[in-house]
Amino acid sequence: MTGPGAGPGTPPDRLGWLYTLVLASLISVGISAGGLYFHADRSLARPWAVAVDVCTRVHPAEQSAARERCLAGQFGRRGAVMATGAGIALGGAVVLVLVLPLTDRRRLRRRLTLPGAQERFVELCDRNRLVGRHRPRLVVAAPPVRQAYTTGGVLGRPTVVLPAAVAVAHADPARFDPVVEHELAHVLARDVAWASAVRGLIWLPVPAVLAAGLLEVAFFGLNATYLAALGRTALIAVVAALLAAGLLRRREREADRYAADAGHTEHLVALLGTGTARPTRRSWLLARHPAPAVRAAALGRPADPPGGWTHGLAVGAVAMLAMSSAAALVGDLFLTGQATVGPPVAVCVGSVLLNLGLLPTLLRRATAGAGGWWRPVLGVATGFAGAAFIATALPVPGSSGVTARADVSVAMLVAALAGALAAAVAGLCVLLARLVVALRPGPAGWRSATYLVAVAAGVAVLWPLPALASVPTDGQAARDWLVFALPRTGWPLLALLVPVLVGLLLREGHRRPASQRDRGIVAAVLIAVLIGAGAAIWRTELFPPDTLAEANRMAQQRWLLCALTGWAVLVVLAFGRHAGVGRALTAGWLAGTAAALSQYLHALLTGRADGLGTVEAHLLAPLVWLGYLVAFTLPFLVSRPPVPGPDPSSSDRHRSAVPAVAMLAAVLAVAVLGPGIPGVYAPVPAAPNGAAAPSAVPAVPPVPDATPGPARPGPGRLLTRAEARRAAGAVRAVLPRGWRVPPDRADSGSSRIDPSACRPLAMDSYLDRLGKAERVRERIRYATVPGPTATASTELVVEIRSHAAPVPVSVLAEAESSRRACPRFTARGANGSAIRFAVGAKPPPTLGEQSWRVDYRLTAGSGQTRITGQSAFVIVRAGHNLVTVYASAIEEPLDERLLGAAVEAAVAGLTG
């Protein structure tokens, strides 16, 4: 150990990756909080819910372009609110960066002047090479300040604040220097201003979200859609708070390590024991500083290697939550183009966060020579899968089938698939980090190239994640996408950058002539290509397909054979210790590419290659499949050496790679061409059916024969029950899709009408005197299918009454008198609910012998709980018969065209 004054310690780690995760989680909180506010504000949420119900009813195909155009306006409004929430979250962080240093300055109005402390502080700054605007100022604070800390803004110089008890001990290096070195470590990390913002992020997000959520529940009660949004936002806020607290504790540990490396280990442990350091917090998960005992114990043992399980867990969880939030935001803002915009944005966000969070730390871990590479891989997979489970079980309302119903089994399956993909990205990061450190290529640009290639390959690996999320609900569609559409996207080919980079690194790191080792690898590649490509060509030539289905299955067999050829080379060379992972990966890609080229050349020679489609089928598809086979294998190779070490007996082992590769390639070829691999092959996708989706209401019957027949009976005759029922049922033919015939509900008649003079109009009492002469009454209720939010609805109630004597003219005259006498009234139910009606009148239809109509505008509740609707009651008199049609629309306009068509159909049905 070096003594005090021996020189600066090892520079503290820059925690930019952790700040990036905190920033990403903060933006996710803002996006989710924006969605939370949107659904809490009824003036915003109710039009959205109405649009969802109406558009889903009119366009039942869930992904139809017409439905997306119908919903684009309301979803765009929600996206704008979510984007505003993200902007407010970022603005709040900026305010914290600017305001908290000012608050710290106000606490320092009482200052002390100690020239000796200033001189010693200058000496320590010089020793740590702090000059210019990075050179901090020293402020000696008078009581009640008891703890040293560092503060500062974005533009100004940082300020180190020392309590008087520490400053007066400037002549004692055991008491003064460790504290100052600890604070100077924060200055050297160049994150003083950003740490100020993080301090506020520990406590602000969770209480703010929960307060808003509990306020909503207190005013409006429990709501499944809102509770899903609240649970999602609260979980993201908790993650943000935990990350912020973990970041600050990590800063303190790094600063302690820096002071210890400068030769102050024993003195710092003593100070921690006497309580000069920060006090312990009860809530250790949200504490900004580790407990003194924990800090002292950490100084007494070797530092843990960076990039462990906890690190991977945080990176995976934040990356997945940020992906989900980005997908929700972009999907709302660009609803009509979400299939082409949403997945790329979400996948790019996930890849950038995974690589920025992993690669810097993994490079340091590889430099330190630490093992246990499975820990970060397992941590990333666990965090990513856990966050995927939360995002699936608590989706943004409207983002998944426009529902917020949680399905635990679906969420678990999606989480497992997402965790496997994240583990593949983590395994790739481990491979690249170990290669760069092991080979130490000359130009500094190799590290930048590694970052770019890792991000691009991460995009390629995560690309199927949006499609895999639909596996539990539509497995066949997801498999069709993976087999037929994925190779045509082009994005998965970004993974080709990985073997290119690895090959260049290997060449840069080993400038030497070919050896027996290399010749053994080349032989293994050649024998694998000969077996894999030869088996596929043999199958095509000897057993040509007779049908389109057989040709499709044979094409997928060829793709799989080419991919398994490269995978067999990788597995044998890497697991059999015949080569390092880097050389095995390069050899596997060369074998798969050569097999795919052989297929394409065979197609050219036999006349089967006739355009770009054959290039995709013979070249791109096998490489995409090989890419994912390699990706899912990499997590199991993280403990293998990236490059082989010197071993005098290695040549014998490399010669043994040829028979091992030949045996594995032959076994895989027999499995593919023989019994096949269950669940791999996808049939040819069925051509889209251009016919309209079947309606929930029976179709309109065919037009009857126009041959003259007996005269049709008049509409005013006395009807039988079957004829009345048929007339009421004639309305079905004019109803559009999205309607049903629910069980009828009888009018209770128990409502209290205020004023009482309006009761005849409200209860249709003017029809009561016809009851004695009534012979037949048939009633059918039609209603729209309940939408996902059950907010907007329309119903029609059709009644056909037939009386022993013709219906008198005075009935409708009495109805008109009741309407004129009652401009408005209130109906109060037994439970105290009140519905307010404003009475109006529109022209009745010119049907039958006489017709009449009354209209209502109804309102229930007030403020944000206000519900509105429209209704109309139409009566048509025709001889012995009376046709009544009651139409009611809640939270949507009344369809006048549909009402008119229903009345016409019912009246026309009187003629049989």
Side-chain angles (χ1 to χ4, degrees), residues 629-796:
L629 285 175
V630 171
F632 288 122
T633 307
L634 282 180
F636 301 97
L637 299 175
V638 292
S639 60
R640 309 297 308 144
V643 293
D647 189 349
S649 63
S650 62
S651 60
D652 295 335
R653 292 207 309 268
H654 283 286
R655 280 196 297 269
S656 65
V658 174
V661 168
M663 182 177 298
L664 180 57
V667 169
L668 294 175
V670 171
V672 171
L673 298 180
I677 301 178
V680 171
Y681 308 110
V684 178
N689 188 1
S695 172
V697 179
V700 179
V703 178
D705 190 1
T707 303
R712 304 179 67 181
R717 74 190 189 286
L718 183 63
L719 301 178
T720 64
R721 186 170 299 279
E723 290 173 333
R725 184 73 177 173
R726 186 164 50 249
V731 176
R732 294 183 181 182
V734 301
L735 297 180
R737 66 177 65 186
W739 283 74
R740 63 192 178 110
V741 182
D744 193 16
R745 56 170 181 260
D747 296 331
S748 61
S750 60
S751 298
R752 182 165 61 89
I753 307 299
D754 295 325
S756 58
C758 292
R759 184 173 182 83
L761 177 66
M763 307 306 295
D764 304 332
S765 300
Y766 43 82
L767 299 177
D768 290 346
R769 65 190 184 92
L770 297 175
K772 295 181 180 179
E774 183 177 286
R775 296 293 181 87
V776 173
R777 178 189 293 193
E778 287 296 328
R779 168 186 170 115
I780 298 180
R781 175 171 166 250
Y782 304 95
T784 54
V785 176
T789 67
T791 301
S793 63
T794 298
E795 75 170 20
L796 291 171

Side-chain angles (χ1 to χ4, degrees), residues 121-136 157-158 160 180-181 183-190 258:
F121 182 79
V122 170
E123 292 176 5
L124 292 175
C125 288
D126 291 338
R127 194 177 74 175
N128 287 278
R129 303 182 182 90
L130 289 169
V131 296
R133 66 184 184 90
H134 299 301
R135 191 182 187 94
R157 293 166 58 192
V160 174
V180 175
E181 292 278 7
E183 300 304 327
L184 293 182
H186 294 320
V187 177
L188 289 168
R190 311 283 171 84
Y258 180 79

